[in-house]
């Protein structure tokens, strides 16, 4: 099954850009891959940011549309999250996750009360993104 590792986080200022990378352990052509973030605000918790599905369709959370872009390089087993015009509300630990056990369910339909939990997904270790004013 697919395992993932993230990289590319850091500390930036409002308006800056970052690109997160997610390396899959093997081909993910049959697996949906998503980016989540664990936000410090307990009222927001674990948020699904973006998904790239096995049929190459994509999902973006409304709050990041126009600023974030998900892309993939299947030959390199890589998934990227380009984040532009960052705001302080984007501060979080960002996780890449692979839907390895619930293929009949879209990642958008999965309920994640906390990132890294649950049965369906293999999670990366997370990468911190801090945006300062």
């Amino acid at each position: 099954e697919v395992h993932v590792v993230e990289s590319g986080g850091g500390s930036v200022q409002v308006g800056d850009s970052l690109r997160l990378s997610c390396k899959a352990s093997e081909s993910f052509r049959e697996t949906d891959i998503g980016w989540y973030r664990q936000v410090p605000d307990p009222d927001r918790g674990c948020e699904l940011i973006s998904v790239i599905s096995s049929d190459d369709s994509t999902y973006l959370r409304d709050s990041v549309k126009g600023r974030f872009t998900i892309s993939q390089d299947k030959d390199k087993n890589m998934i990227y999250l380009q984040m532009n015009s960052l705001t302080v509300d984007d501060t979080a630990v960002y996780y890449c996750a692979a839907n390895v056990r619930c293929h009949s369910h879209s990642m958008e339909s999965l309920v994640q009360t906390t990132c890294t939990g649950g049965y369906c997904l293999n999670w990366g270790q997370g990468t911190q993104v801090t945006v300062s004013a």
Side-chain angles (χ1 to χ4, degrees):
E1 60 185 30
V2 177
H3 294 269
V4 291
V5 177
E6 313 92 337
S7 61
S11 296
V12 296
Q13 295 188 318
V14 170
D16 285 351
S17 299
L18 277 176
R19 188 177 80 159
L20 305 183
S21 299
C22 175
K23 174 69 174 177
S25 60
E26 59 188 70
S27 173
F28 56 89
R29 296 178 190 273
E30 303 297 324
T31 303
D32 298 349
I33 305 290
W35 285 98
Y36 289 80
R37 63 187 179 191
Q38 186 73 50
V39 182
D41 182 350
D43 290 333
R44 292 173 57 193
C46 182
E47 298 179 338
L48 177 62
I49 300 303
S50 188
V51 178
I52 193 158
S53 299
S54 56
D55 64 359
D56 294 335
S57 62
T58 60
Y59 161 84
L60 273 176
R61 186 180 189 84
D62 284 347
S63 62
V64 305
K65 285 181 179 178
R67 301 189 299 123
F68 291 13
T69 305
I70 193 169
S71 62
Q72 61 184 342
D73 186 334
K74 291 182 179 180
D75 291 336
K76 296 181 179 179
N77 292 340
M78 294 293 295
I79 306 93
Y80 304 100
L81 185 67
Q82 178 66 42
M83 306 187 296
N84 299 329
S85 302
L86 286 162
T87 74
V88 294
D89 288 341
D90 295 317
T91 294
V93 179
Y94 284 72
Y95 295 92
C96 182
N99 185 6
V100 296
R101 298 178 195 89
C102 301
H103 295 285
S104 62
H105 297 275
S106 68
M107 294 184 82
E108 300 94 293
S109 70
L110 300 177
V111 176
Q112 292 291 147
T113 54
T114 60
C115 294
T116 75
Y119 168 77
C120 295
L121 309 180
N122 277 353
W123 297 86
Q125 82 286 357
T127 185
Q128 177 71 46
V129 172
T130 303
V131 185
S132 302

